[in-house]
Amino acid sequence: MEPGASVRAVRSQRVLCGDEIRPAVILIKDGKIENILHCVDVGLVASAEVLDVGEHLVMPGIVDCHVHVNEPGRTSWEGYWTATRAAAAGGITTVVDMPLNSIPPTTTVGHLREKMQAAAGQCFVDTAFWGGVIPGNQLELRPMVQAGVVGFKCFLIHSGVDEFPHVTHGDLHSALQLLQGTDSVLLFHAEREIHQPLGDSGDPCEYSTFLSSRPDVMETEAIRMVTQLCQQYQVRCHIVHLSSAQPLQLIRAAKQAGAPLTVETTHHYLSLAAEHIPPGATQFKCCPPIRDMANQELLWAALKDGDIDMVVSDHSPCTPDLKRLESGDFTQAWGGISSLQFGLPLFWTSACKRGFSLADTVRLLCQRTARLCRLDNQKGSLRPGHDADLVIWNPDKEFEVKEGDIHHKNKLTPYLGRTLRGEVYATLVRGRLVYKQGSFSQQALGTHLLLSHGCTQASL
Ligand SMILES: NC(=O)NC(NC(N)=O)C(=O)[O-]
Ligand SMILES: [Zn+2]
Ligand SMILES: [Zn+2]
């Protein structure tokens, strides 16, 4: 069966159903899972429409709810055609697009429409959208909820792009009041400027110089404010890309006090460590920064005990020149890591050695990310009635990240040359075979743009 085909049944000896892996046939009709038969007899389905994947593992497609697709406006950094193909090659079947780095940013209903127009006809996986909260756009928030954003993102520190300014405490009070009763969610880039001397500015090409410019306390003070606001307004709040383990006790205490708070970390904070970042290697620069190995261990422990709820990519690419590789100056380079295609194998390479199961992987990369966006009624699980979004992969197969296999618009990823465990064989989105062994369907999915309230923008 070739990419682009609509699949009526997927048969495998290893289907992950809940916590169990067993032989099964997944019957698909009109893009939905019709039934999951725990036998391997496909019944009346014509053999040409059955995708038999042998021993490959079949599980729900990944829902990556932190992806910066910078189209329109900075399409040279990343666009829908390349980002969603990279996603499909990585077993990601839904991306949720951040409201910044595109121009215009998604801070009004009109800008959302522009984004959706840009995405139409270019997506190989399903795409949903975050709106942005910036100073002065309060009157756009409820209209954007109605227009279908799955939630909102704000920054408590400079975002890296001038057209998406960070919010003040006052902006947050008005935004959270407006979001009360909507079941929407406010995501926070949780770092705050602290007004204390950060020590002498060392060699800008040494990673330690950049790291010491963004100490843990910047995350802790930001998260202190988020936990207070979350408890005060009882609006769902979500901390994106937690890097420091220092604020974990604040997070734990807020959750225990009943705050509707969730937290994500990213694959790079779990896979990379400050000690291993060479001088000038600005492809590793992101904000908040990758911290040391001891901190990484604490993040893994927090993932294990549920203080951290989910894991995402925070794919935030730019054009190669903006990474300033020739100077290697961390203070001038763009902060953001290009990694969308490699999240699943990156996570699994470490997680399988740390006692995490494949079912844990589904919880952390599919179910809870879908739940954050209120897409869990159709995404993130293998259930009749859910979208037939499947990743078919071999968790035991190792592969080397080679430049020719990278489908991001720009190939500058810190993972080049790394050996990862967990090779994706095929990816289905709503029953369409969009990716199989290095090839993509000829056509994009069309629109398949997801809006909140579970509806789909069938065509623009
Ligand atoms: N403008 C950005 O893409 N910023 C992103 N940059 C990172 N993470 O380094 C982010 O998520 O904050
Ligand atoms: Zn951020
Ligand atoms: Zn981001």
Side-chain angles (χ1 to χ4, degrees):
M1 191 177 287
E2 290 311 305
S6 286
V7 180
R8 271 286 282 129
V10 174
R11 172 165 49 196
S12 168
Q13 295 304 316
R14 298 201 296 169
V15 177
L16 183 59
C17 300
D19 289 330
E20 247 192 303
I21 296 175
R22 52 197 302 186
V25 171
I26 299 173
L27 293 179
I28 298 167
K29 190 159 186 284
D30 301 331
K32 298 280 187 185
I33 294 175
E34 186 183 29
N35 204 346
I36 300 175
L37 308 176
H38 295 303
C39 64
V40 287
D41 169 13
V42 292
L44 301 175
V45 178
S47 57
E49 294 177 298
V50 177
L51 179 63
D52 191 326
V53 298
E55 295 288 331
H56 281 96
L57 184 89
V58 181
M59 71 180 212
I62 309 293
V63 176
D64 191 335
C65 54
H66 192 150
V67 180
H68 296 267
V69 184
N70 306 324
E71 185 173 6
R74 291 195 177 99
T75 309
S76 58
W77 294 23
E78 186 62 277
Y80 288 101
W81 185 265
T82 44
T84 59
R85 286 158 73 96
I92 296 163
T93 52
T94 303
V95 297
V96 191
D97 185 9
M98 280 287 164
L100 73 158
N101 302 350
S102 51
I103 300 174
T106 316
T107 49
T108 71
V109 172
H111 294 171
L112 170 65
R113 296 268 179 257
E114 279 189 62
K115 213 161 209 313
M116 293 177 71
Q117 288 287 357
Q122 294 204 84
C123 295
F124 283 75
V125 301
D126 275 354
T127 305
F129 301 90
W130 295 113
V133 171
I134 58 172
N137 82 327
Q138 285 80 349
L139 295 181
E140 292 285 344
L141 303 188
R142 280 185 171 252
M144 278 199 274
V145 171
Q146 290 312 313
V149 298
V150 294
F152 295 90
K153 167 81 172 293
C154 68
F155 276 70
L156 303 181
I157 195 168
H158 193 279
S159 70
V161 290
D162 293 337
E163 72 278 359
F164 198 95
H166 66 79
V167 290
T168 64
H169 210 231
D171 296 324
L172 289 173
H173 282 289
S174 51
L176 288 165
Q177 276 164 9
L178 281 163
L179 294 179
Q180 282 180 320
T182 65
D183 193 36
S184 192
V185 59
L186 182 53
L187 282 60
F188 292 81
H189 176 116
E191 285 182 289
R192 284 189 93 183
E193 288 298 353
I194 46 151
H195 301 294
Q196 74 183 29
L198 288 174
D200 65 316
S201 55
D203 176 349
C205 298
E206 284 297 330
Y207 182 73
S208 55
T209 304
F210 168 61
L211 180 57
S212 57
S213 75
R214 303 205 53 140
D216 298 72
V217 64
M218 289 173 68
E219 289 188 76
T220 300
E221 288 316 306
I223 289 170
R224 191 184 312 280
M225 182 170 92
V226 173
T227 57
Q228 288 162 354
L229 289 165
C230 184
Q231 289 177 80
Q232 178 179 350
Y233 287 98
Q234 290 298 309
V235 169
R236 287 196 299 134
C237 293
H238 179 74
I239 292 161
V240 299
H241 55 41
L242 178 75
S243 168
S244 169
Q246 195 181 83
L248 281 166
Q249 85 273 13
L250 274 174
I251 290 164
R252 200 176 303 122
K255 287 183 171 184
Q256 283 163 356
L261 179 70
T262 48
V263 192
E264 71 184 38
T265 190
T266 76
H267 298 301
H268 24 280
Y269 300 133
L270 294 171
S271 311
L272 303 172
E275 293 92 329
H276 305 143
I277 298 176
T282 51
Q283 66 272 33
F284 288 82
K285 178 181 176 179
C286 61
C287 303
I290 291 159
R291 302 186 190 276
D292 63 19
M293 285 191 290
N295 181 76
Q296 187 196 105
E297 286 304 322
L298 295 172
L299 293 180
W300 277 108
L303 207 53
K304 180 76 84 171
D305 60 28
D307 287 335
I308 297 177
D309 301 280
M310 61 196 83
V311 188
V312 299
S313 67
D314 187 13
H315 177 67
S316 179
C318 63
T319 48
D321 60 306
L322 294 177
K323 272 297 190 183
R324 300 281 199 281
L325 278 172
E326 66 293 337
S327 70
D329 183 338
F330 280 98
T331 63
Q332 299 303 312
W334 168 256
I337 286 184
S338 190
S339 64
L340 180 60
Q341 186 174 327
F342 303 106
L344 176 59
L346 271 172
F347 178 78
W348 184 243
T349 300
S350 303
C352 70
K353 297 174 209 152
R354 290 172 175 272
F356 288 78
S357 67
L358 289 162
D360 293 326
T361 305
V362 169
R363 270 186 285 277
L364 294 166
L365 274 61
C366 312
Q367 289 171 344
R368 293 192 188 150
T369 46
R371 179 79 188 133
L372 175 70
C373 308
R374 293 296 188 259
L375 294 172
D376 55 315
N377 57 347
Q378 61 189 92
K379 303 286 184 189
S381 302
L382 293 189
R383 258 191 232 137
H386 274 221
D387 292 342
D389 297 350
L390 309 177
V391 51
I392 300 162
W393 62 304
N394 183 345
D396 309 314
K397 183 129 182 276
E398 293 196 339
F399 69 95
E400 184 188 334
V401 177
K402 295 197 175 85
E403 184 159 357
D405 299 332
I406 297 173
H407 298 287
H408 306 149
K409 175 152 285 187
N410 296 298
K411 313 299 178 193
L412 196 56
T413 173
Y415 305 107
L416 208 52
R418 270 194 178 223
T419 296
L420 301 179
R421 184 170 171 185
E423 188 175 67
V424 173
Y425 169 75
T427 304
L428 275 73
V429 176
R430 297 167 184 263
R432 280 277 302 279
L433 183 62
V434 292
Y435 172 82
K436 184 182 172 191
Q437 282 186 306
S439 316
F440 298 92
S441 52
Q442 288 301 311
Q443 260 72 44
L445 278 174
T447 53
H448 282 292
L449 302 177
L450 294 167
L451 303 172
S452 64
H453 336 302
C455 61
T456 302
Q457 180 85 16
S459 64
L460 274 172

